[in-house]
Amino acid sequence: MSSETRTALIGIIVENSVEELNRLLHEYRRHIIGRMGVPHPSKGISIISIALDSDQDTISALSGKLGALEGVSSKTIYSKN
């Protein structure tokens, strides 16, 4: 694992209640700077943003695991430095 870290934001759309999502976020909690969740009741979805500071491999691993969950869509953006 590289000692150099990146700052990233993972945007998540949750279309149904997913316990696995919370388990993953708990597993990666030491890399998470902050988390904000916004419910969208009229659409029956939740929008979550996760700010991270970690190595590239860890961020990619979390993003990939989130995107593989049923009922979850995610995208990751990185700081330039």
Side-chain angles (χ1 to χ4, degrees):
M1 184 186 313
S2 170
S3 62
E4 188 173 327
T5 64
R6 303 270 317 261
T7 302
L9 177 71
I10 301 177
I12 306 166
I13 304 288
V14 184
E15 296 180 12
N16 55 31
S17 180
V18 180
E19 290 182 24
E20 186 69 8
L21 170 73
N22 285 326
R23 188 195 68 73
L24 279 172
L25 295 180
H26 181 73
E27 181 182 329
Y28 284 83
R29 69 189 176 277
R30 70 183 185 100
H31 306 283
I32 296 174
I33 300 166
R35 170 182 175 172
M36 179 180 69
V38 180
H40 193 341
S42 66
K43 298 265 185 173
I45 63 172
S46 295
I47 303 151
I48 302 171
S49 59
I50 307 293
L52 302 124
D53 186 55
S54 190
D55 61 277
Q56 177 82 39
D57 291 342
T58 299
I59 295 168
S60 294
L62 175 57
S63 182
K65 290 176 184 179
L66 290 169
L69 295 175
E70 185 176 338
V72 175
S73 301
S74 68
K75 291 288 182 181
T76 305
I77 57 173
Y78 294 89
S79 65
K80 293 194 183 254
N81 48 18

